[in-house]
Amino acid sequence: MAASVLTLVVTLVAAGGVWLAFGARLKLSEDGQVNDLLNLGAYYFIGLPVVFVVIFAIVG
């Protein structure tokens, strides 16, 4: 359970860092604020499997 929560939190922090570093590269919406949130969500779901494997490799 703790590894799952850690995975979600680390993924959120990593997605935020990627979003701050690269910005809204993906054009998912015409509205600027909505596009930023959608890009953050896209970075989150792209990074989730990677962080999942890393966390469970470290914990396991």
Side-chain angles (χ1 to χ4, degrees), residues 4-5 7 10-11 13 23-24 26-29 32-34 37 42-44 47 50 52-54 56 58-59:
S4 300
V5 173
T7 299
V10 170
T11 304
V13 171
L26 306 171
K27 187 67 173 168
L28 301 173
S29 175
Q33 288 181 329
V34 174
L37 287 174
Y43 297 151
Y44 182 85
V50 175
F52 177 82
V53 169
V54 170
F56 277 92
I58 292 171
V59 171

Side-chain angles (χ1 to χ4, degrees), residues 6-51:
L6 183 62
T7 299
L8 296 175
V9 170
V10 170
T11 304
L12 183 62
V13 171
V18 169
W19 180 75
L20 286 174
F22 296 116
R25 299 279 183 179
L26 306 171
K27 187 67 173 168
L28 301 173
S29 175
E30 294 295 324
D31 186 23
Q33 288 181 329
V34 174
N35 191 45
D36 288 342
L37 287 174
L38 290 174
N39 273 269
L40 182 61
Y43 297 151
Y44 182 85
F45 286 113
I46 290 169
L48 186 62
V50 175
V51 173

